Amino acid sequence: MLPDEAAVTAIAPPDLVTLEVIRAAADAIAGVAVRTPLLPADDLSHRLGVPVFVKPENLQRIGAFKVRGAYNLVRQLVEGGARGVITFSSGNHGQAVAYAAARFGVRAVIVMPETVTAAKRGGVERLGGEVVLAGRTSADRRARATEIAEAEGLAVVPPFDHPAIIAGQGTIGLEIAADCPGVATVAVPVGGGGLSSGVATAIKALAPRARVVTVEPEGAAKLARSLAEGRRVTLEKTGSIADGLITLSVGALNWEHLSRYVDQAFTVSEGALRGAVRYALERLKLVVEPSGAATLAWLLGQEPGAVLGPVVLVLSGGNVEWEGLVALLAEGA
C-alpha cells in the first residue's frame, strides 16, 4: 500500500515527483479524465495585448481537476489490495474519490465539513460515496477520517500531500505544454498544493522559460507568506468564498515542489473572485466556482504589458449550486 499523508510528510528529504512519473499518471488516467482543451479568451487577449487561453477543468468529470489525482492514487491502492478508501475533503476531492472508487467497485467514505455546500455533498452521494460530517476545519476532517480508516480497514486517499496525487494533477501541465508551445505564463490556483505543485513540475520540465504563478485568496495567503519567508508557513485561520483554497498550509511534499518551481504567488480579494465568476459566465460562457476562478480574478486585475504571453489560466472547477451562483452573481454586480 502506498504511504498515507502522515507517512509522506515524514519523508526527509522528500522524493520529488518527476516528469516520468507524471507521464505514467497520464497513461493511467487516459480514457477516464477528460483531456480538456485550451479555449481562447479573446476579450482578455485584446485587453492585455497577449494571447490568453483558459484550461477549463470545470468541464472535467465530477466538475473539477481532482479526478486526475484521485483516480491515479485509488487505482494504485486497489491494485495493492485495498477494498475500500476514505478521504477528507471540502468537496471536489471527495467527489473525485467517490467517482474513482465506483469505477473500481470499492467502498468510499468521504469526511466533509459541516458547512459543505449542497452541490458538493450531493455530488458525492450521487456517485455512491458515504458522507460523514466532521467539524469545520481540515484538521477536524483529517482526524475523523483517520479514526474511521483504522477502525474499518480503509485506505486513506489524502487530498494533496501525496506523490500519486501530485502526479495525477501534473497531467494538466503536460497538456498545457503540448497544446500551447511557447507558453510564457501559467497561472494556477493553490489550496493544499496538489494541483499547483504538479502543474509547476511539469511546466518547468517541458517549458523551463515559462513563468509559473499561483493565486490564492487574500484570506488564505499560505503560499505567498511561505515563499516570502522561505519556509512552509501554517496560518492560524483562513476564510474565503473560495472554499477549495482555504487550507491553513500547503502540504509538506507540495511545498518542496512549489518552493523550487513557482516563480511568484499572488493573492486576490473576495470582490475580485466574485467578479471573476461573473466574467466567466458572461464572457467565457463557463460556470466556474470561486476557487476555480482565482486565476481569472488575478489576470483581470493586470495591466497591459504586465504579463508575458501566451498566458494559460487553469480554471480548476465549477461545482457551485444554482442558489449559490445566483448569490455570487448578485454580490458581484
Side-chain angles (χ1 to χ4, degrees):
M1 183 178 296
L2 291 177
D4 62 15
E5 184 182 47
V8 171
T9 302
I11 297 173
D15 294 324
L16 298 188
V17 172
T18 64
L19 180 62
E20 290 71 27
V21 173
I22 296 174
R23 283 175 168 156
D27 291 338
I29 68 174
V32 176
V34 175
R35 194 187 192 289
T36 53
L38 290 187
L39 302 179
D42 292 339
D43 179 66
L44 279 169
S45 298
H46 177 73
R47 180 187 302 191
L48 296 174
V50 295
V52 178
F53 301 90
V54 297
K55 178 77 165 165
E57 286 291 297
N58 57 305
L59 303 180
Q60 186 60 257
R61 282 195 168 98
I62 69 90
F65 73 94
K66 291 281 192 176
V67 71
R68 297 172 182 263
Y71 185 87
N72 191 43
L73 179 50
V74 170
R75 175 188 62 84
Q76 294 180 23
L77 292 171
V78 171
E79 289 177 355
R83 298 177 131 189
V85 295
I86 187 169
T87 193
F88 42 98
S89 167
S90 62
N92 288 339
H93 178 67
Q95 292 183 72
V97 171
Y99 174 82
R103 295 273 301 203
F104 289 104
V106 299
R107 181 185 177 203
V109 177
I110 316 300
V111 182
M112 310 186 82
E114 295 171 353
T115 54
V116 65
T117 66
K120 291 179 178 179
R121 176 172 183 166
V124 167
E125 292 174 335
R126 284 192 299 274
L127 292 164
E130 304 170 28
V131 174
V132 174
L133 301 181
R136 297 188 173 215
T137 70
S138 58
D140 294 333
R141 298 190 294 276
R142 184 185 297 109
R144 184 68 180 121
T146 300
E147 292 174 0
I148 297 172
E150 293 175 352
E152 303 185 22
L154 300 174
V156 177
V157 184
F160 47 81
D161 204 353
H162 193 290
I165 297 292
I166 293 171
Q169 322 305 26
T171 59
I172 292 174
L174 298 183
E175 294 171 12
I176 291 172
D179 293 348
C180 188
V183 61
T185 304
V186 176
V188 58
V190 58
L195 172 64
S196 50
S197 57
V199 170
T201 300
I203 291 297
K204 288 299 185 180
L206 295 171
R209 295 184 181 180
R211 286 177 55 80
V212 177
V213 302
T214 60
V215 187
E216 58 197 337
E218 290 177 348
K222 64 278 173 189
L223 183 59
R225 274 193 52 187
S226 295
L227 291 176
E229 297 184 21
R231 64 184 181 90
R232 185 169 71 104
V233 170
T234 299
L235 303 177
E236 292 185 4
K237 63 179 180 178
T238 59
S240 175
I241 57 172
D243 62 340
L245 306 180
I246 57 174
T247 54
L248 296 176
S249 68
V250 296
L253 183 59
N254 310 97
W255 167 246
E256 296 300 328
H257 292 76
L258 294 168
S259 61
R260 287 167 171 80
Y261 301 134
V262 167
D263 294 286
Q264 194 167 1
F266 293 93
T267 62
V268 290
S269 69
E270 299 295 280
L273 288 167
R274 292 188 180 95
V277 170
R278 187 181 189 94
Y279 182 95
L281 184 61
E282 291 183 341
R283 300 295 182 88
L284 302 178
K285 310 308 176 187
L286 295 171
V287 175
V288 184
E289 63 186 288
S291 299
T295 57
L296 181 58
W298 165 72
L299 195 64
L300 285 168
Q302 301 304 302
E303 297 293 331
V307 183
L308 296 176
V311 181
V312 174
L313 306 178
V314 178
L315 306 183
S316 57
N319 287 318
V320 56
E321 73 275 14
W322 173 247
E323 291 79 7
L325 180 61
V326 170
L328 281 168
L329 295 178
E331 292 171 356

